[in-house]
């Protein structure tokens, strides 16, 4: 009997020290393990939305968010999205509205009657009465606006009407690219 009590006491003593050390090791692995993931410039869909898109169904009231490579945050909402195939590479969007919150300050709100999203290329084309309003007081109206959501550039084409604090400008095209300055 005395031998088994000694073995029991030794086992309890080892577990008192060993189990907390194991728990500490597992907990620290959560914080010290690096996750290799590109966090910028992607439009992401939930698994349910992807399943619905893949099966050829319509997604009602979708919201998609992401950020450009320069960390400008965007969020778009729509009345509906219809994919082209399963798995989708392109999606048609109805009644889109959204905003871009620029990392360096300022906000742009965007809207259009319809849009096309090229999922792999991260290109969003606003069609039919595309409108952009900025927090600086500029309003751009064009038949077509193409946004590169990955790099954060914009191209409005087809007769662009711009109204701003300094007056009105009409042009065939308007291009806005990210500037390091």
């Amino acid at each position: 009997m005395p031998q088994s009590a000694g073995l029991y006491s030794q086992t309890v003593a080892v577990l008192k020290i060993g189990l907390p050390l194991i728990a500490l090791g597992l907990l620290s692995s959560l914080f010290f393990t690096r996750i290799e993931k590109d966090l910028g410039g992607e439009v992401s869909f939930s698994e349910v939305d992807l399943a619905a898109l893949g099966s050829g169904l319509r997604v009602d009231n979708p919201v998609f968010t992401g950020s450009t490579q320069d960390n400008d945050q965007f969020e778009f909402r729509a009345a509906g999205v219809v994919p082209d195939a399963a798995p989708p590479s392109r999606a048609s969007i109805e009644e889109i509205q959204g905003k871009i919150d620029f990392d360096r300050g300022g906000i742009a709100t965007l809207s259009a009657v319809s849009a096309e999203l090229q999922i792999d290329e991260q290109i969003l084309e606003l069609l039919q009465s595309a409108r952009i309003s900025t927090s600086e007081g500029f309003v751009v109206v064009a038949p077509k606006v193409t946004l590169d959501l990955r790099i954060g550039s914009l191209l409005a084409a087809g007769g662009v009407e711009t109204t701003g604090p300094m007056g009105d400008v009409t042009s065939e095209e308007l291009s806005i690219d990210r500037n390091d300055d």
Side-chain angles (χ1 to χ4, degrees):
M1 203 67 147
Q3 267 186 338
S4 65
L7 179 62
Y8 176 79
S9 297
Q10 288 176 351
T11 304
V12 169
V14 167
L15 290 177
K16 275 185 182 180
I17 296 171
L19 287 177
L21 286 176
I22 291 171
L24 185 61
L26 289 173
L27 186 60
S28 67
S29 70
L30 291 174
F31 297 105
F32 296 124
T33 303
R34 184 172 177 190
I35 299 172
E36 295 293 328
K37 224 179 198 184
D38 180 17
L39 297 177
E42 290 186 12
V43 175
S44 57
F45 292 95
S46 70
E47 292 295 327
V48 173
D49 287 344
L50 282 177
L53 288 173
S55 65
L57 298 177
R58 172 187 167 91
V59 178
D60 288 324
N61 302 318
V63 176
F64 55 99
T65 62
S67 63
T68 66
Q69 67 186 13
D70 291 324
N71 207 28
D72 297 329
Q73 305 295 313
F74 57 83
E75 176 181 296
F76 291 97
R77 297 175 183 273
V81 173
V82 179
D84 65 342
S89 62
R90 190 174 184 95
S92 297
I93 303 171
E94 300 168 359
E95 298 177 34
I96 188 167
Q97 296 180 5
K99 73 174 185 171
I100 301 173
D101 190 359
F102 298 103
D103 186 48
R104 296 182 182 176
I107 296 174
T109 58
L110 303 94
S111 65
V113 174
S114 66
E116 291 287 326
L117 176 63
Q118 298 172 24
I119 296 170
D120 295 335
E121 293 84 14
Q122 302 295 302
I123 302 291
L124 177 65
E125 294 176 320
L126 302 176
L127 307 168
Q128 298 181 15
S129 303
R131 180 182 174 90
I132 303 167
S133 301
T134 69
S135 56
E136 290 84 17
F138 292 94
V139 176
V140 177
V141 178
K144 179 180 176 183
V145 174
T146 303
L147 298 162
D148 187 326
L149 300 174
R150 189 167 297 172
I151 63 173
S153 66
L154 175 143
L155 175 66
V160 181
E161 296 178 16
T162 305
T163 303
M166 296 182 286
D168 300 341
V169 176
T170 301
S171 63
E172 187 57 33
E173 227 176 54
L174 170 69
S175 175
I176 301 173
D177 292 311
R178 185 69 183 222
N179 183 331
D180 288 339
D181 297 329

